[in-house]
Amino acid sequence: MDNQAEVREFLMSRRAKISPEQAGLPAGPNRRVAGLRRNEVAILAGVSVEYYAKLERGAIAGASSSVLDALARALQLDDTERTHLFDLARAADGIPLSGRTRRRSGKNAGTRPSLQWVLGTITDGVAFVRDQHQDLLATNELGRAFYSPLIGEGGRTPNLARFQFLDPASRDFYPDWDLFAAMCVGIMRTEAGRDPNDKGLQDLVGELSTCSDTFRQLWGAHNVRTHGTGTKRFNHPVVGELTLAYEELAITADPGTVLMIYTAEPGSPSQERLRLLASWAATNATVPDQTQPRTPV
């Protein structure tokens, strides 16, 4: 990915989101741009207009932490956006991944026996491992049943982003499809900032941009996010609607890989439906192995 273009479009998109009123500045007449002007950002950040214009053209290499912090404050970036800005700057300096070298392994993290054992101990919730490319690497037994619309029969490694944007079944599975789509792209944008030379991610972005107008529009918005924790709704073909809380845990042995766990509130209808799904999974011999996705995912 073109780092200078990424920096330019990210800064311009953040500037467009902040109104003068939000920044504590007088709006004035005859404004021809959405959000703040370049000179207003420069004033708020305490840098010259010429220097900010240079940064917004993508020439961010060598920018100090104090300047980046000042930009983050001026543009009212949240924690994820601020980290993304620093990642872009480090990539421009030739130091991607927030200053760390990502260890790459030829082995699929999901095949590691100890990780499979961990997944097997989680019986009351949906647990799965995904990587920075949104590949679904491994699941527990309940996870295989839960993600049966994604895993399907045969093909390549199941991929959450391909399912989201290329498989019509995702619109039934995700009642809040638009929200899920924005979250998915925001997470991918964050990963792209951490490692702009990740060819696997570049290829996936290119594929989805070609095949999905919605993905292309969301990617162009340059919004970023981290997952962490929250609540999601699903509509499962076997048990119906589920409202599940999620927690994302980083797998330090495999940087870029996370363990996701979905659980239901104790005593809730969703917990009963999750138990019903677990019972169905235990007795249904047709639930596929997690490495066999449906086409075209």
Side-chain angles (χ1 to χ4, degrees):
M1 296 182 185
D2 184 340
N3 179 263
Q4 286 198 338
E6 292 293 309
V7 172
R8 180 177 65 251
E9 293 168 15
F10 179 66
L11 290 177
M12 289 177 64
S13 67
R14 298 313 93 176
R15 176 163 63 85
K17 292 179 67 175
I18 304 296
S19 69
E21 292 81 4
Q22 289 173 310
L25 298 172
N30 303 321
R31 298 189 68 88
R32 293 181 294 178
V33 297
L36 296 176
R37 298 178 173 127
R38 287 192 185 91
N39 67 304
E40 291 170 331
V41 176
I43 291 169
L44 292 168
V47 299
S48 70
V49 177
E50 292 77 11
Y51 184 57
Y52 176 72
K54 174 185 173 182
L55 295 176
E56 196 174 276
R57 288 195 298 270
I60 201 171
S64 67
S65 295
S66 60
V67 167
L68 297 175
D69 272 327
L71 279 183
R73 289 192 298 270
L75 295 170
Q76 300 182 19
L77 304 185
D78 62 25
D79 288 344
T80 301
E81 291 170 325
R82 178 186 177 279
T83 299
H84 186 63
L85 176 63
F86 272 74
D87 283 335
L88 292 174
R90 290 184 177 109
D93 289 332
I95 314 172
L97 304 175
S98 298
R100 295 180 294 107
T101 300
R102 175 168 284 174
R103 289 174 289 166
R104 298 189 182 277
S105 171
K107 296 182 178 180
N108 181 340
T111 64
R112 190 164 61 246
S114 58
L115 189 54
Q116 292 284 347
W117 300 337
V118 169
L119 289 170
T121 65
I122 302 171
T123 56
D124 293 332
V126 173
F128 63 94
V129 175
R130 70 156 177 82
D131 65 12
Q132 67 273 23
H133 303 148
Q134 298 292 306
D135 284 338
L136 194 67
L137 302 180
T139 70
N140 64 351
E141 183 175 346
L142 182 54
R144 287 192 291 277
F146 179 78
Y147 273 120
S148 56
L150 161 62
I151 294 171
E153 300 287 346
R156 53 185 165 181
T157 302
N159 183 275
L160 292 161
R162 289 193 184 96
F163 178 66
Q164 176 78 51
F165 292 100
L166 304 184
D167 194 328
S170 69
R171 291 188 176 269
D172 294 325
F173 190 63
Y174 301 135
D176 304 310
W177 190 91
D178 291 338
L179 175 63
F180 274 59
M183 292 171 68
C184 179
V185 175
I187 292 167
M188 291 174 67
R189 262 284 177 205
T190 302
E191 291 293 345
R194 290 189 181 126
D195 191 353
N197 299 315
D198 186 330
K199 188 178 184 303
L201 186 56
Q202 291 178 18
D203 291 345
L204 179 60
V205 169
E207 175 189 351
L208 296 178
S209 296
T210 300
C211 299
S212 170
D213 290 340
T214 302
F215 178 87
R216 187 165 58 251
Q217 292 166 4
L218 289 170
W219 187 256
H222 285 264
N223 293 326
V224 292
R225 70 166 284 131
T226 50
H227 224 37
T229 184
T231 303
K232 292 181 179 180
R233 291 195 308 140
F234 302 89
N235 183 30
H236 197 276
V238 174
V239 296
E241 185 168 316
L242 294 161
T243 299
L244 303 177
Y246 64 86
E247 296 285 342
E248 179 184 270
L249 309 173
I251 300 176
T252 56
D254 301 285
T257 304
V258 299
L259 170 63
M260 291 286 295
I261 303 175
Y262 289 112
T263 54
E265 180 181 355
S268 67
S270 290
Q271 185 184 51
E272 291 303 312
R273 291 169 187 158
L274 209 54
R275 287 173 175 168
L276 178 61
L277 183 61
S279 176
W280 178 83
T283 57
N284 192 309
T286 64
V287 178
D289 181 81
Q290 68 265 39
T291 59
Q292 300 298 317
R294 58 181 287 142
T295 304
V297 178

